[in-house]
Amino acid sequence: MQTYKRLLGATTLGLILAAGLAAPAFAQKLDNKTGPSTLTTNAAGDIDFGDDSSEWANDGECDDPRFSGTGSAAELVDADIRKDATDCRAAFAAGTVTLVEAGSTPADITIASPIDAIDFGDDSSEWANDGECDDPRFKGEGSAEELLDADIRKDATDCKAAYEAGTVSLADDNSNANATTTDTPATGTDTPATAAEIDFGDDSSEWANDGECDDPRFSGTGSAVELLDADIRKDATDCKTAYDAGTVTFNGDTAGSSATKVDISEIDFGDDTSEWAKDEECDDPRFSGTGAASEMLDDDIGHDATDCKAAYAAGTVSFDPDGTAATSASPASTEFDYGSDTSKWANDGECDDPRFVGEGTNKKQLYEDQMADATDCKALEAAGKVQIRQVYQPSYAAGAPYDSSEIEFGDNTSSYANDDQCDDPRFEGPGAAITLLDSDLEHDADDCKTAFEAGLIVLREDDGI
């Protein structure tokens, strides 16, 4: 399993500026501080209520923690500051909430962080100096629409300029560390989970203690990119550390579990009579995960035993006894599968599927959007504005085996060597790992050689042999 090797070193920042603060006191609070700040008063016209982007907006309660009163929600988190405008404006007008007075909360200093205290990093991001802040530690109208952890501290000029202009602020990651809610069946109300209430489990995952939370019950910047049901309650140290740091939130005990974990001895893997047996991919549609084939047939249920048993033992697939094939198309089909329109960016006039290149593609193509922006990509391909990357053409794999004698693959010293995915960042294609690290350059020889010869990866255009 491939993961981003990062933990977001977030700084908890107060963004609230209380009303009714006398001028001398306000001046004292601003002493030795620079960067954006906003003074609000108890006059409704002077209050920046923000927008309605909170998850709890328009529910009849004011969820912005800058306010208090009978019209406020019982539980308030900093993430909702200026994010529940309609509710809070109505409650303020009705007199059921007022702005919190200075000093009534633990965070007496409630202005933005001094700019000289922020490590903006460098400009090594691919998107540096494009006029948008691409560092996901920041939020605001000056931020790029899509943010990647890989750009943390990598867009210094843009982010510093936006911060100075007041169009971004540092995201308050720790303020909502324990604010994930779980539904209480008895009442139907939302209550926050605390670390003491969560069964983190043990550290028996293959990926335990690697600095990332691999338990799919959690999500956030501290989570691994790929999550498997097999790792539920199996990465306790990493997940508790990330949870306490506020870089992951708990989504409930049933979250992320699409299939029941079954002991390998209890699974009837069947035989190897599938046409696709022993091709190092699990073709049985009862299984899903990175070790499973992209196209499945019901006819292969119980007929790819060797591959599926190996993948299950390695934790690259999970088992769903009621699983059925995702598609009835033949794996040997030469027709390109555009996928669906499940991407959040679908039907926006740009192709977000990373299998495509060309002027019609979005500048940031994410793995999660692969096969998820069909209408846009198909239309743009027909218009000649995008093209399918060669290695994703069904006909390319059909032309295997390919000669790899001219390529220096290196050795197998990568931590992810021999996992049936190519982790060398010089390659791309369906046989490559989702996340590629420079440290694995020429260090996953066997996986990459096998995938290259099978037509599952190619050298990137900007990498020589």
Side-chain angles (χ1 to χ4, degrees):
M1 179 169 66
Q2 294 303 295
T3 54
Y4 283 113
K5 299 297 169 190
R6 80 281 179 273
L7 275 175
L8 180 59
T11 303
T12 303
L13 299 171
L15 298 177
I16 311 167
L17 190 61
L21 193 62
F26 177 63
Q28 183 178 9
K29 283 181 180 287
L30 288 180
D31 187 35
N32 296 322
K33 294 183 181 292
T34 59
S37 62
T38 303
L39 177 63
T40 59
T41 73
N42 277 324
D46 295 326
I47 299 173
D48 177 12
F49 287 95
D51 55 36
D52 284 322
S53 57
S54 166
E55 179 182 359
W56 319 110
N58 297 303
D59 66 352
E61 293 183 316
C62 176
D63 293 271
D64 186 331
R66 297 179 301 157
F67 298 86
S68 66
T70 58
S72 287
E75 296 172 20
L76 301 171
V77 294
D78 287 353
D80 289 327
I81 292 173
R82 297 186 182 85
K83 299 296 176 64
D84 194 16
T86 300
D87 287 336
C88 295
R89 184 181 290 110
F92 188 88
T96 57
V97 298
T98 58
L99 274 168
V100 178
E101 293 298 324
S104 64
T105 66
D108 281 345
I109 298 177
T110 55
I111 64 174
S113 173
I115 195 168
D116 57 6
I118 301 173
D119 177 12
F120 287 95
D122 55 40
D123 284 325
S124 57
S125 167
E126 181 180 354
W127 320 110
N129 298 304
D130 66 352
E132 292 183 314
C133 176
D134 292 274
D135 186 331
R137 297 178 302 155
F138 297 85
K139 63 181 179 181
E141 64 184 55
S143 289
E145 190 174 45
E146 298 176 44
L147 300 171
L148 305 174
D149 287 341
D151 290 325
I152 292 173
R153 297 186 182 86
K154 299 295 176 64
D155 193 17
T157 300
D158 286 335
C159 295
K160 187 174 183 180
Y163 189 83
E164 289 174 331
T167 59
V168 300
S169 60
L170 271 167
D172 188 0
D173 289 284
N174 284 339
S175 66
N176 199 27
N178 294 332
T180 299
T181 58
T182 55
D183 191 60
T184 305
T187 64
T189 59
D190 290 330
T191 57
T194 65
E197 296 171 336
I198 300 172
D199 177 11
F200 288 93
D202 54 41
D203 284 326
S204 58
S205 166
E206 180 181 354
W207 319 109
N209 298 305
D210 65 352
E212 292 183 313
C213 176
D214 293 276
D215 187 330
R217 298 177 302 155
F218 297 84
S219 63
T221 58
S223 285
V225 175
E226 296 179 48
L227 300 171
L228 302 175
D229 290 344
D231 290 324
I232 291 175
R233 297 185 185 86
K234 298 297 176 64
D235 194 16
T237 300
D238 285 335
C239 295
K240 189 175 189 304
T241 299
Y243 186 80
D244 289 342
T247 58
V248 298
T249 53
F250 181 61
N251 301 313
D253 279 315
T254 60
S257 179
S258 61
T260 303
K261 176 63 178 174
V262 180
D263 188 274
I264 195 169
S265 63
E266 298 176 4
I267 300 175
D268 179 10
F269 288 94
D271 54 40
D272 285 317
T273 57
S274 167
E275 179 182 358
W276 320 107
K278 299 183 178 180
D279 65 353
E280 297 184 349
E281 286 186 318
C282 176
D283 294 273
D284 186 330
R286 296 176 299 163
F287 298 85
S288 62
T290 57
S294 58
E295 298 181 87
M296 299 281 201
L297 298 173
D298 286 341
D299 289 342
D300 289 327
I301 293 176
H303 296 308
D304 193 17
T306 299
D307 288 335
C308 296
K309 187 173 185 178
Y312 192 83
T316 58
V317 297
S318 56
F319 176 63
D320 179 2
D322 298 319
T324 57
T327 176
S328 59
S330 169
S333 172
T334 58
E335 184 175 337
F336 184 77
D337 184 1
Y338 290 89
S340 63
D341 284 328
T342 55
S343 166
K344 65 186 293 187
W345 317 111
N347 298 304
D348 65 353
E350 290 184 312
C351 177
D352 295 278
D353 188 328
R355 297 177 300 163
F356 293 81
V357 293
E359 61 177 295
T361 59
N362 184 276
K363 77 171 187 176
K364 289 184 181 178
Q365 293 174 307
L366 307 178
Y367 177 83
E368 65 197 53
D369 291 324
Q370 184 167 301
M371 297 185 71
D373 193 16
T375 300
D376 283 335
C377 297
K378 190 172 184 178
L380 289 163
E381 186 199 11
K385 294 185 177 180
V386 300
Q387 304 83 42
I388 302 168
R389 294 178 187 268
Q390 178 192 30
V391 71
Y392 290 100
Q393 292 276 9
S395 59
Y396 186 76
Y402 289 93
D403 181 11
S404 65
S405 60
E406 298 295 321
I407 301 176
E408 176 54 55
F409 288 97
D411 55 42
N412 288 305
T413 57
S414 166
S415 299
Y416 308 105
N418 299 307
D419 65 354
D420 296 326
Q421 289 183 318
C422 176
D423 295 277
D424 188 326
R426 294 177 300 161
F427 298 89
E428 66 177 3
I434 296 172
T435 305
L436 300 170
L437 307 176
D438 288 341
S439 58
D440 288 326
L441 184 75
E442 296 190 15
H443 294 311
D444 192 17
D446 289 349
D447 285 336
C448 296
K449 187 174 188 293
T450 299
F452 184 90
E453 292 177 347
L456 298 177
I457 58 172
V458 293
L459 278 165
R460 296 178 184 271
E461 291 183 4
D462 55 352
D463 281 295
I465 294 177

